[in-house]
Amino acid sequence: NAFAYGNFVDKEKDESTSTRDFNDETGYTFFSKSCMNQRARSGNGQVGTIYEPDLRNSFGLEVEFFTKKTSMRSRAETMINENGIHMDGTSDYEQDERDRNLSATFNYIRRLDTLGSALKFITDYTDKKVRGDNDYYSFYTIQDYTKDSLYQNNSLSCYKVFNADISFNKQLQNGFKYSVGAKYTHNDMSD
């Protein structure tokens, strides 16, 4: 079996504007405008196979890969007037996120008799990486006072998980059965 798909959103724009006027002594007015543009790309592919060389043995393998990248740019502008005091504000935000996942599974089944007794082995591995780069800048002025702010966040997370499981099931003639097995799991996380 095999399949693949992709999703590509080149532009997803959103713009909004808000205005408020109050007819009172404060002379309060408010105006804001925001714009957002987002791009997203993702893809997924999977391939798997089962091989049975004879009636007693079966091998299976499956591999899957997933990737996603999202970029978003947004900008906001604000103007406020109250009691003769004027304030202007502008902010820009840039966000880039990437997500990648690779997983693989292998199994082996050995049928021991016609009653359903079997030896089974399965192992799987997952490797996932998530990265984010975000920049934020804001600038505002009240009368003659100016202030700005700059913020940056870069994150990286890596996950690696390995599992191995072996089991033996013996089916008896009288309907009873017994099972024994062992499982090993290893988790590695870097954040």
Side-chain angles (χ1 to χ4, degrees):
N1 67 66
F3 82 87
Y5 81 85
N7 184 18
F8 303 96
V9 178
D10 192 41
K11 288 183 180 179
E12 181 180 330
K13 289 189 172 185
D14 182 33
E15 292 186 12
S16 63
T17 303
S18 175
T19 303
R20 292 182 219 157
D21 290 311
F22 294 89
N23 294 326
D24 58 16
E25 304 82 42
T26 63
Y28 182 83
T29 61
F30 172 87
F31 172 81
S32 75
K33 178 181 179 182
S34 63
C35 304
M36 186 267 299
N37 185 10
Q38 180 174 327
R39 295 174 64 185
R41 289 173 164 68
S42 64
N44 185 298
Q46 180 180 356
V47 62
T49 185
I50 296 173
Y51 174 64
E52 295 180 342
D54 53 46
L55 294 175
R56 292 197 175 262
N57 295 292
S58 174
F59 299 88
L61 176 65
E62 187 171 82
V63 178
E64 181 176 10
F65 180 77
F66 172 80
T67 183
K68 180 179 180 182
K69 181 179 180 185
T70 305
S71 300
M72 185 173 69
R73 306 288 181 264
S74 59
R75 179 179 178 87
E77 297 175 12
T78 306
M79 290 183 285
I80 299 173
N81 286 303
E82 183 174 14
N83 288 326
I85 299 173
H86 182 77
M87 183 188 110
D88 288 320
T90 303
S91 62
D92 290 297
Y93 183 55
E94 295 185 19
Q95 178 183 14
D96 287 309
E97 292 190 357
R98 291 176 292 285
D99 186 350
R100 188 227 358 112
N101 189 62
L102 172 68
S103 61
T105 302
F106 170 78
N107 67 11
Y108 168 70
I109 300 173
R110 167 80 176 167
R111 295 170 195 84
L112 302 173
D113 55 36
T114 58
L115 297 174
S117 302
L119 174 67
K120 296 180 182 179
F121 174 74
I122 185 168
T123 182
D124 62 76
Y125 176 73
T126 300
D127 186 328
K128 181 176 179 70
K129 185 181 281 188
V130 179
R131 179 183 201 112
D133 297 318
N134 305 299
D135 295 313
Y136 178 75
Y137 175 74
S138 67
F139 179 87
Y140 69 92
T141 304
I142 300 177
Q143 299 298 79
D144 295 329
Y145 177 72
T146 301
K147 187 155 184 140
D148 67 349
S149 175
L150 179 65
Y151 173 78
Q152 186 177 46
N153 178 320
N154 297 318
S155 61
L156 175 63
S157 299
C158 301
Y159 307 93
K160 296 179 182 180
V161 181
F162 173 77
N163 290 304
D165 191 331
I166 188 167
S167 64
F168 173 73
N169 299 306
K170 177 65 177 168
Q171 190 73 39
L172 303 175
Q173 294 282 352
N174 56 11
F176 289 99
K177 74 172 182 176
Y178 64 88
S179 301
V180 294
K183 183 172 185 176
Y184 172 78
T185 302
H186 178 81
N187 294 309
D188 183 7
M189 183 173 73
S190 175
D191 210 357

